[in-house]
Amino acid sequence: MRLHRDFDTTLLLLAVALTCLGVVMVFSSSCVVAGEKYGDAFFFLKKQLKFALVGGLLMALTMYVDYEFWRKIAIPLLLLGICLLALLFVPGMGVTAGGAARWLRLPGITVQPAEFVKLGLVLYLASSMTRKKEKIRSFKLGLLPYILVLGAILGLLLLQPDLGSAMIISGVALTMLLMAGARWSFVVPLVLSVLPAVYFMIMHVDYRRRRILAFLNPWKDPYDTGFQIIQSMIAFGSGGVFGKGLGGSEQKLFFLPEAHTDFIFSVIGEELGLIGVLAVSGIFLLLVLRGLRIAWYATDPFARYLAFGLTLLLGMEAFVNMAVCLGLLPTKGLALPFISYGGTSLIASLVAVGILLNISSRIEVPQ
């Protein structure tokens, strides 16, 4: 064994490649809409470049910040994220778009607190589970405190409403707890007990119920609830194997809603074809494997939990977004990490990679 003193350059290159592709695809998918709405075809490109620059600088910084630092400030960061979520409901501070108040207006910037909460929760869980060790197998001392924290976060998310982020956070948290040794006999009944509530929140809220029905049969209502997924399918289908070429998408011309955000993967499918779709999926798969490799070789429990949680977060978000675009899951308002337009998501993803890179420089790997 040897001390791996260098950063995982493969992981770094994968993150940079996805970010660069994201900048290109944001411009390609948004230039027409930006020109029509703002009179500037480069409107979203210029913003995404700024986000990428800030995110890149923060990634470079976190690469050199000892991961132990995050253990010390995990709880304050999580509390800050929860406070930001709560501020969404203060009149004049929450920005509503698409019927949901998910963005917070601060002096000079607009942020999405859910992205920070995701990072904060992973840091908190990794730090707390390291301290509890075998106590994690106890319900009262191990699982119950996490249920209370998770419940508070989910409550604020569902009030926005943001069911997509709530489900991602739940999946990441429960998987991390099981990895740390939480009893299946506690976790499984817990999940089963909340399923009726999930069913009620979906089937008794009109727009969610319509989304589920549209997912099952989008052609039943092709001009309303099924419109988005149908246009996405048309984009993938018309792209063929090699695509129409960069900038050649027709679905982005006011047919495909959210073409530069939630459904940017569909534009990739149309312009870069099956080859592009497989390439992007492959890069995400390699990124997840590199993250899991870092977690596997980490001997410090905190580093292992942290690397696993961050990798799981990035992987789950990418999988859900791509599955939605392909019509394999109901429509959710989740960004594709590194690629979708949006500053908070991009910066949070790059910070997560920066932390993973720092852990990679402190692990032992086989020669």
Side-chain angles (χ1 to χ4, degrees):
M1 302 291 288
R2 66 179 175 84
L3 185 62
H4 187 80
R5 296 187 181 279
D6 298 324
F7 299 109
D8 188 329
T9 53
T10 301
L11 176 63
L12 176 60
L13 290 174
L14 292 171
V16 171
L18 287 171
T19 303
C20 292
L21 175 65
V23 171
V24 173
M25 293 311 303
V26 163
F27 174 63
S28 178
S29 59
S30 69
C31 58
V32 176
V33 174
E36 179 72 19
K37 187 174 182 179
Y38 299 101
D40 180 7
F42 299 93
F43 179 82
F44 292 109
L45 172 64
K46 289 185 286 190
K47 285 198 166 190
Q48 191 73 355
L49 282 171
K50 292 179 183 178
F51 300 150
L53 178 60
V54 173
L57 291 173
L58 289 176
M59 180 179 70
L61 175 63
T62 51
M63 285 170 59
Y64 292 96
V65 174
D66 192 326
Y67 68 82
E68 283 289 343
F69 168 77
W70 303 106
R71 190 205 300 244
K72 301 174 184 176
I73 66 168
I75 293 179
L77 280 179
L78 180 61
L79 292 175
L80 175 61
I82 293 174
C83 290
L84 291 176
L85 277 180
L87 287 177
L88 288 172
F89 306 101
V90 175
M93 297 196 71
V95 179
T96 301
R102 300 176 186 173
W103 293 266
L104 182 64
R105 184 183 290 110
L106 298 175
I109 58 172
T110 300
V111 299
Q112 192 171 1
E115 297 299 329
F116 296 127
V117 169
K118 292 172 188 175
L119 283 179
L121 182 63
V122 171
L123 292 170
Y124 162 72
L125 288 173
S127 174
S128 179
M129 292 187 307
T130 302
R131 292 194 308 270
K132 289 196 173 183
K133 299 180 181 179
E134 290 300 319
K135 291 180 181 179
I136 197 73
R137 296 182 60 81
S138 163
F139 180 81
K140 183 178 180 180
L141 300 177
L143 195 59
L144 182 59
Y146 299 124
I147 293 175
L148 297 176
V149 172
L150 188 60
I153 294 173
L154 296 181
L156 290 171
L157 288 172
L158 293 174
L159 285 174
Q160 294 181 18
D162 188 357
L163 184 59
S165 290
M167 295 181 70
I168 290 290
I169 284 178
S170 300
V172 170
L174 293 176
T175 305
M176 289 184 68
L177 288 169
L178 288 171
M179 178 201 176
R183 293 175 183 266
W184 283 87
S185 57
F186 293 153
V187 175
V188 172
L190 173 65
V191 173
L192 293 177
S193 68
V194 301
L195 287 181
V198 174
Y199 177 84
F200 180 85
M201 286 186 291
I202 292 175
M203 300 309 294
H204 291 268
V205 177
D206 184 60
Y207 78 92
R208 289 178 183 152
R209 182 179 66 254
R210 293 168 66 198
R211 280 185 179 180
I212 295 295
L213 296 176
F215 163 69
L216 296 173
N217 184 11
W219 297 100
K220 186 175 182 179
D221 191 7
Y223 299 107
D224 191 4
T225 55
F227 183 80
Q228 206 166 26
I229 189 59
I230 290 174
Q231 299 306 312
S232 180
M233 291 177 179
I234 292 174
F236 283 110
S238 60
V241 176
F242 300 103
K244 296 180 176 179
L246 197 61
S249 170
E250 297 178 11
Q251 293 306 112
K252 68 185 181 185
L253 304 177
F254 308 101
F255 292 102
L256 181 63
E258 313 297 338
H260 60 299
T261 55
D262 299 347
F263 280 85
I264 197 168
F265 190 59
S266 306
V267 179
I268 292 175
E270 185 177 5
E271 296 189 349
L272 305 182
L274 177 63
I275 301 299
V277 167
L278 292 177
V280 172
S281 303
I283 293 174
F284 272 112
L285 177 60
L286 287 175
L287 185 143
V288 168
L289 291 175
R290 298 304 291 192
L292 293 177
R293 176 179 179 272
I294 293 170
W296 178 266
Y297 286 113
T299 55
D300 176 16
F302 174 66
R304 184 184 307 119
Y305 296 146
L306 183 55
F308 178 78
L310 293 175
T311 302
L312 183 64
L313 177 62
L314 293 173
M316 285 187 65
E317 288 188 324
F319 171 78
V320 170
N321 178 276
M322 291 188 286
V324 166
C325 291
L326 289 166
L328 301 177
L329 288 175
T331 303
K332 295 291 176 191
L334 288 173
L336 183 59
F338 306 102
I339 296 181
S340 291
Y341 171 78
T344 314
S345 173
L346 178 56
I347 290 171
S349 297
L350 289 171
V351 167
V353 170
I355 297 173
L356 284 170
L357 289 170
N358 181 264
I359 297 173
S360 75
S361 68
R362 288 163 169 74
I363 63 174
E364 293 182 353
V365 297
Q367 291 184 341

